Amino acid sequence: MTNENAITVKNLTKTFGDFTAVDAISFEVGKGEVFGFLGANGAGKTTAMKMLIGISKPTKGEANVAGFDVRTQAEDIKKSIGYMSQRFSLYNDLTIKENIVFFGGIYGLKKSVIKAKSKNLIDELGLHDEADKLVGSLPLGWKQKVSFSVALLHDPKIIFLDEPTGGVDPITRRQFWEMIYREANNGKTIFVTTHYMDEAEYCDRVSIMVAGKIEALDTPKNLKEKYKVDSMNKVFLKLARNIE
Amino acid sequence: MKRFIGFIKKEFFHILRDRRSLFILFGMPIVQIMLFGFAITNEINNVDIAVLDHSKDDVTKEIIDKIAASKYFSIKAFIDNETAIEKVFEKGQIKAVLNFEPDFSRKLIAENGATVQILTDATDPNTANTISNYTGAILQKYQQELNQNVAISYQIVPQTRMVYNPELKSVFMFVPGVMTIILMLVSAMMTSISITREKELGTMEILLVSPLKPAQVIIGKVVPYVFLSVINAVIIIILSIFVFKMPVEGSLFLLGAESILFIINALSLGILISTISSTQQTAMMVSLMGLMLPVILLSGFIFPISSMPLPLQIISNAIPAKWFIIILKGIMLKGVGLAYLWKESLILVGMTLFFMAMSVKKYKIRLE
Ligand SMILES: Nc1ncnc2c1ncn2[C@@H]1O[C@H](COP(=O)(O)OP(=O)(O)OP(=O)(O)O)[C@@H](O)[C@H]1O
Ligand SMILES: [Mg+2]
């Protein structure tokens, strides 16, 4: 596999018993790209992502992430990626600072580095008054921003975000995407799933997954032209309807 | 190592910030021990006793007067033969019988030693034990007075015998059981809940995506509970020594070592439970039904194993608590050492290794 791409996937498949959750998907994600991984509920997005981050073994197929094979080099992948799970990724009963110290610690960052990063992060998000409050008491939008920053602590090359903005208000979603762009401009690769089609428009390229298969993959502009519609929302509906 | 300390610190935050787990950890042991402490008192007052005096001489008379004068006993009957002993016990009012051997005073002076048998009704074993201690003390006092006046020392040999319950099934039998239950509860239930909590909340995924190895995650979660369980064991042992006057005849060091072995055994069970349950609720139910009930019912804690139906006797062998209770009783009550308990200890070690191997296997399957 080439080293040009951040992620290369070939015929990746995952079955649970008789049920095929991810059905031979293939795609590539370039370095520094913001890649939108779309699909309806239950399409198989989270399942595919878990194989890419090395916590779920593929049933069939291959995948290479950050130059490492997901089957044999999962430990190396872990050091090169950041991950925000669809479920909440911080500890509610720890304060923001304690969360930062903990996650910095398990990635083996030095104390001084953690301290500097933690100050940076709190400055950037303007959370001085909340830094010593329990995460559980924060509004969801803030939690997600902190969560994203924590996933970046160890300076990963690729960031996997599983519905990072689910349930978050539009203004905060906008701010969140500004953070994503900033990281992409810093050369990081972003692999993101979302159910918001306006967010799909922000991506460099998107894939649309239906029932375990990737049905379309291109830039938002090309997809709209191909399906002769004026929004990603309509592209999505058209694809989902065609299948049924 | 530094990562590890951070991990353990975080675990302590979880525990200290959760009132429920704090209560289970430290409230329960103290409440349980205290319940036993108050339910069973060590004081006796005006207990009815009977006397069988084969000798009827000056010395026995003096002793009987002394006992009658004490506020602890009142002599309700004088009987004249052995067969009557059983009869007075059967009526239930008499709690103890003093049986002086024939020729008491002559033996005491000529042979320097005479025997008095103290028979107690041990269906209420705690009282029985106290009675024999108190009568023993009165006899001893009399003996000291006697010996002050003469050059050679006379010895009254009190021979105590518990009727009906020779094994002395008492509060001393409960303490090892309570200790076993508490250690099981804290170690197995709390760890399985704390591990499944991470699964339920989704943070387990984040930990597995980090460079920490799965084994490190598990060990990191378990270490704080080893620590807390050891503290708990110490609290229980201290309370049982001071509240129950529980003896520790054997080596304290061995007691500590065996306790740690049992704690690790319970923790590995907790890990095993966490691999098969995906929610805290399930983990708690499995711990309660799968561990607590067998510990209470089949370990010999409440129901003697020897009186169980054979199939249950066989099943009881698979319960770690049974072996730990035998070990505890051995060390605390009989004062025996590893020479006598190596078999039980080995069984616990074997079970621990088995549970660990099982959880490693199950854990891998879950990651597939
Ligand atoms: N461990 C599992 N065992 C069995 N079936 C599973 C398992 N994990 C996921 N599935 C099934 O696989 C399918 C895809 O699930 P997945 O979570 O990947 O969907 P998704 O695209 O992320 O959906 P959503 O948008 O709701 O997050 C679903 O039907 C789900 O029920
Ligand atoms: Mg999902």
Side-chain angles (χ1 to χ4, degrees):
Chain A
M1 278 184 199
T2 95
N3 268 343
E4 292 303 305
N5 294 320
I7 304 171
T8 314
V9 175
K10 268 209 188 101
N11 292 322
L12 197 65
T13 302
K14 180 86 185 183
T15 56
F16 298 110
D18 296 338
F19 176 71
T20 306
V22 175
D23 194 355
I25 58 172
S26 302
F27 61 89
E28 282 154 16
V29 179
K31 281 185 180 151
E33 198 174 5
V34 178
F35 189 86
F37 198 56
L38 312 187
N41 288 127
K45 304 180 297 289
T46 301
T47 310
M49 197 181 267
K50 281 187 182 167
M51 289 190 277
L52 297 182
I53 60 177
I55 57 175
S56 166
K57 285 235 161 73
T59 314
K60 261 194 250 145
E62 291 153 56
N64 188 292
V65 174
F68 301 109
D69 188 297
V70 292
R71 284 181 191 277
T72 55
Q73 295 170 299
E75 293 311 311
D76 296 307
I77 292 178
K78 287 176 182 178
K79 290 184 194 116
S80 326
I81 60 161
Y83 171 58
M84 228 179 115
S85 112
Q86 182 169 1
R87 292 184 288 170
F88 191 52
S89 306
L90 300 173
Y91 290 101
N92 275 326
D93 55 350
L94 264 54
T95 66
I96 295 181
K97 270 191 187 158
E98 286 163 356
N99 266 292
I100 297 171
V101 170
F102 172 69
F103 284 106
I106 63 173
Y107 278 93
L109 301 186
K110 284 209 192 85
K111 247 199 184 127
S112 53
V113 176
I114 295 177
K115 212 166 182 182
K117 291 219 175 194
S118 150
K119 187 176 173 304
N120 238 332
L121 191 159
I122 290 167
D123 284 346
E124 257 171 48
L125 296 178
L127 291 175
H128 292 279
D129 294 337
E130 285 76 21
D132 289 313
K133 282 190 189 151
L134 297 186
V135 167
S137 66
L138 298 179
L140 181 65
W142 296 17
K143 285 184 192 173
Q144 297 300 78
K145 284 194 215 166
V146 175
S147 201
F148 180 65
S149 309
V150 166
L152 289 169
L153 277 178
H154 58 292
D155 208 16
K157 293 197 195 88
I158 309 173
I159 304 156
F160 289 87
L161 306 169
D162 198 355
E163 285 185 41
T165 54
V168 171
D169 71 70
I171 298 168
T172 315
R173 284 210 281 130
R174 177 110 220 163
Q175 293 167 342
F176 198 94
W177 274 86
E178 279 164 14
M179 292 170 74
I180 291 180
Y181 266 108
R182 204 175 318 139
E183 293 310 319
N185 287 337
N186 287 340
K188 297 201 188 304
T189 308
I190 315 279
F191 187 94
V192 57
T193 75
T194 178
H195 284 297
Y196 298 105
M197 287 306 138
D198 57 326
E199 292 183 354
E201 309 267 4
Y202 303 147
C203 299
D204 294 328
R205 283 191 308 149
V206 300
S207 73
I208 297 179
M209 213 173 163
V210 181
K213 290 196 174 76
I214 290 184
E215 292 297 335
L217 195 167
D218 212 329
T219 62
K221 186 164 160 279
N222 288 349
L223 282 175
K224 283 182 279 191
E225 275 171 17
K226 185 176 170 199
Y227 292 94
K228 300 185 179 59
V229 289
D230 57 4
S231 72
M232 277 307 293
N233 201 16
K234 287 179 183 157
V235 173
F236 190 81
L237 288 175
K238 218 165 175 173
L239 268 169
R241 216 167 276 154
N242 270 355
I243 295 304
E244 275 158 20
Chain B
M1 198 58 213
K2 231 173 53 201
R3 291 181 198 190
F4 218 67
I5 290 169
F7 200 108
I8 288 166
K9 216 160 121 190
K10 164 216 148 216
E11 216 48 50
F12 273 110
F13 284 141
H14 289 324
I15 297 165
L16 296 178
R17 284 174 191 173
D18 178 16
R19 281 219 196 104
R20 193 183 55 172
S21 60
L22 260 188
F23 176 75
I24 296 183
L25 271 172
F26 293 110
M28 292 273 274
I30 294 172
V31 167
Q32 284 210 15
I33 285 284
M34 281 326 198
L35 272 181
F36 279 101
F38 286 120
I40 299 158
T41 109
N42 283 315
E43 280 295 304
I44 58 165
N45 234 328
N46 265 328
V47 173
D48 294 336
I49 62 171
V51 173
L52 169 55
D53 189 354
H54 288 292
S55 186
K56 293 208 173 73
D57 55 40
D58 290 345
V59 177
T60 59
K61 199 160 190 169
E62 213 170 322
I63 294 176
I64 291 166
D65 285 345
K66 280 216 186 310
I67 287 175
S70 88
K71 68 179 164 85
Y72 307 115
F73 304 105
S74 69
I75 297 172
K76 276 282 143 72
F78 286 91
I79 51 182
D80 21 62
N81 56 53
E82 253 82 13
T83 45
I85 294 178
E86 201 153 332
K87 283 203 190 106
V88 296
F89 276 136
E90 270 167 13
K91 282 193 198 134
Q93 193 198 3
I94 302 288
K95 296 292 176 211
V97 174
L98 297 186
N99 182 0
F100 294 91
E101 67 174 331
D103 265 353
F104 193 87
S105 71
R106 191 193 59 79
K107 278 190 186 156
L108 188 64
I109 290 158
E111 295 169 21
N112 296 342
T115 307
V116 53
Q117 206 179 27
I118 305 164
L119 297 122
T120 46
D121 176 356
T123 43
D124 179 359
N126 204 48
T127 313
N129 201 29
T130 317
I131 291 173
S132 63
N133 285 341
Y134 281 34
T135 37
I138 293 172
L139 288 172
Q140 190 136 33
K141 203 160 154 239
Y142 175 77
Q143 184 184 313
Q144 274 169 4
E145 284 167 13
L146 201 67
N147 289 343
Q148 268 175 359
N149 305 328
V150 285
I152 33 163
S153 65
Y154 303 121
Q155 247 194 333
I156 300 172
V157 186
Q159 248 183 15
T160 47
R161 191 155 73 84
M162 303 282 173
V163 184
Y164 299 129
N165 188 1
E167 269 182 46
L168 194 62
K169 212 173 152 330
S170 74
V171 58
F172 290 175
M173 299 292 110
F174 278 109
V175 169
V178 173
M179 179 158 164
T180 308
I181 287 200
I182 291 171
L183 290 184
M184 201 52 154
L185 185 81
V186 170
S187 312
M189 188 155 110
M190 297 304 289
T191 36
S192 64
I193 289 179
S194 97
I195 294 173
T196 42
R197 182 165 76 165
E198 302 246 10
K199 281 203 216 170
E200 205 175 329
L201 297 179
T203 43
M204 189 56 103
E205 263 172 34
I206 307 296
L207 296 179
L208 293 178
V209 174
S210 81
L212 286 178
K213 302 241 163 26
Q216 288 177 310
V217 172
I218 297 296
I219 294 171
K221 293 215 61 96
V222 162
V223 165
Y225 287 99
V226 175
F227 182 74
L228 293 172
S229 301
V230 168
I231 291 184
N232 251 321
V234 171
I235 292 179
I236 297 168
I237 292 171
I238 288 176
L239 280 179
S240 53
I241 290 173
F242 288 101
V243 177
F244 299 115
K245 313 278 182 273
M246 180 93 184
V248 180
E249 304 284 353
S251 140
L252 259 179
F253 177 77
L254 183 63
L255 183 65
E258 296 279 4
S259 300
I260 290 173
L261 171 63
F262 183 68
I263 287 168
I264 293 174
N265 179 288
L267 289 171
S268 48
L269 257 176
I271 297 171
L272 187 59
I273 290 173
S274 73
T275 62
I276 56 172
S277 29
S278 49
T279 67
Q280 297 179 66
Q281 212 80 29
T282 331
M284 189 146 126
M285 289 316 288
V286 174
S287 307
L288 282 176
M289 307 302 281
L291 297 181
M292 301 307 291
L293 281 186
V295 169
I296 293 174
L297 299 177
L298 293 177
S299 67
F301 165 38
I302 292 180
F303 307 112
I305 292 174
S306 54
S307 58
M308 285 176 194
L310 191 65
L312 288 185
Q313 285 192 29
I314 293 169
I315 293 173
S316 76
N317 289 324
I319 295 178
K322 169 187 165 173
W323 304 105
F324 186 56
I325 289 179
I326 294 175
I327 291 172
L328 280 183
K329 285 181 183 171
I331 297 174
M332 295 177 100
L333 300 177
K334 296 186 194 142
V336 295
L338 211 48
Y340 285 87
L341 298 169
W342 63 270
K343 200 181 79 189
E344 286 80 6
S345 309
L346 221 63
I347 291 175
L348 278 186
V349 170
M351 284 178 164
T352 308
L353 292 179
F354 175 74
F355 295 143
M356 282 181 173
M358 285 278 284
S359 5
V360 168
K361 207 170 149 230
K362 283 259 191 264
Y363 197 75
K364 276 201 182 130
I365 289 169
R366 284 205 66 84
L367 283 181
E368 288 296 301

